[in-house]
DNA sequence: GTGGTCTAGACCACT
DNA sequence: GTGGTCTAGACCACC
């Protein structure tokens, strides 16, 4: 059973939220290679949303080679999860860069930012 | 004259882009307290967009107490821009925290992240 | 079906009238938590006004946390209507205080004011 | 010198604010019968507003017989300020009635309201 | 000239 | 069908 929390209010469409949550779970190793994931209908009913929405998410994930659907058998996590992880890392590191840049423009020093990283580590 | 570059394609609405650009300019001190900003019509025509869109942006900025609008007179930067800056900083620092947390979960070490901050500084 | 009577003439804008009517209905318990309210288009057509005007009212109500709107699903009364009621009460009690103060300055005695309250009760 | 605080943001026009402030001062006896009040130009320059706006306010006040303008001599408070006071009282008592009604609908008891009146008296 | 409100109607994404 | 955004343009009061 996968834990998926959806935000129905924000601007990010449901199907996209599903995509990124599953991607993250794969990157984190919570979902492992060759593992089977819920069918479209099952997940849809669990989340209380329309199957078309889940279908769209699975289509995108398949296109991104994160999952593989085998007709009549089910849907499985791809075997090459390393690549997914690596790609995800790069994406998120880029976001970090932007955020650092933005904060520097607001007058926040490197020291403050580094301190925040260290502090966070102790939590 | 304010420099505003808009992305007419992305998922972020135009009015929200205007909001965050002006907010940033205030935080950076480029727009100063009590300074008058362009009238709704003027900015709209400069940006080639509809006055209603600018109005919506100004409404939000007023609600956030970044600007003050005086009917039939014009629109002005609030007197307390320090608070705006501080609030903006806090918001952005929180985002940094989340991003750091996320990357740590993906297996990125503090060293890597700190290195990225230093590297960015040399650009 | 919500009963909404609008004054199209006065100085109070239509969208604000809608806001305060719905707020009052929530405070009075006529509209209950989680209850769905009419769609923007529906209410607009019922009232014979433009959907944009209703949208603006709903935006303000959402910002005040009186309602919650879920895109493509509909608009619902917030779950915490108690707070709405309490907040509304406080607002209106403050207005009463100001009015009492003003009348006292004009030379009206407490007795006269209290008499008015009792009289009103018999209507 | 009359103390006039204007709200440039609200929905009430400046000239109307001037009217009701002067009316209130007359009702309170701060401005006395036959007393001279500032010329249009003088008041306008004191308030930093357009003389036309003050003119409009004075016109309304004259029409309401609160003030009298004698060409080339100046503007004076009317001799019959009692009527102004009485009229003002009635207006404000009506507002009190509405407010009481509204609060009663919100579930506030007469006792609570009366208590508020007494409490206010001790301030 | 300024902002404030409202209309009419279009297009979009999502479900 | 729903809400979200945007356009085009009108009318108003105020200054």
């Amino acid at each position: 059973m996968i834990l998926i929390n959806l935000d129905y209010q924000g601007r990010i469409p449901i199907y996209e939220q599903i995509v990124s949550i599953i991607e993250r779970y794969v990157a984190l190793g919570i979902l492992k290679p060759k593992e089977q994931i819920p069918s479209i209908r099952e997940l849809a009913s669990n989340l209380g949303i329309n199957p078309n929405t889940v279908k769209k998410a699975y289509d995108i994930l398949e296109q991104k080679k994160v999952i593989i659907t085998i007709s009549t058998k089910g849907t499985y996590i791809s075997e090459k999860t390393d690549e997914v992880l690596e790609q995800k890392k790069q994406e998120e590191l880029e976001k970090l860069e932007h955020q650092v840049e933005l904060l520097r423009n607001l007058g926040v020093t490197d020291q403050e930012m580094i301190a925040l990283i260290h502090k966070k580590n102790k939590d």
Side-chain angles (χ1 to χ4, degrees), chain A:
Chain A
M1 174 57 196
I2 314 178
L3 181 63
I4 292 185
N5 269 320
L6 296 175
D7 169 17
Y8 295 95
Q9 299 205 56
R11 224 194 321 278
I12 300 165
I14 304 294
Y15 73 85
E16 228 170 273
Q17 292 182 52
I18 296 173
V19 166
S20 71
I21 289 173
I22 291 186
E23 250 182 342
R24 185 158 61 242
Y25 281 166
V26 170
L28 293 175
I30 295 172
L31 290 174
K32 295 191 195 315
K34 298 193 183 176
E35 183 176 347
Q36 186 170 15
I37 60 172
S39 72
I40 290 176
R41 286 183 187 179
E42 196 183 338
L43 184 55
S45 103
N46 282 349
L47 297 176
I49 61 177
N50 193 301
N52 288 328
T53 309
V54 178
K55 172 81 164 62
K56 190 160 185 178
Y58 278 20
D59 283 350
I60 292 172
L61 283 165
E62 182 141 31
Q63 189 201 322
K64 283 185 159 192
K65 303 194 175 170
V66 175
I67 64 175
I68 297 167
T69 296
I70 302 172
S71 311
T72 78
K73 298 276 266 182
T75 304
Y76 302 85
I77 300 298
S78 151
E79 299 183 7
K80 298 179 184 171
T81 56
D82 292 352
E83 295 175 13
V84 175
L85 172 57
E86 196 48 41
Q87 188 185 334
K88 194 81 179 169
K89 262 192 199 172
Q90 291 311 321
E91 275 175 38
E92 299 301 340
L93 278 170
E94 265 186 39
K95 288 191 201 162
L96 183 68
E97 252 184 272
H98 289 140
Q99 195 59 16
V100 166
E101 169 88 13
L102 200 163
L103 279 162
R104 191 171 290 132
N105 284 335
L106 288 178
V108 178
T109 66
D110 291 11
Q111 276 70 27
E112 289 177 87
M113 293 191 256
I114 291 169
L116 183 141
I117 292 178
H118 284 132
K119 174 204 135 209
K120 190 72 199 165
N121 210 2
K122 291 177 200 147
D123 292 350

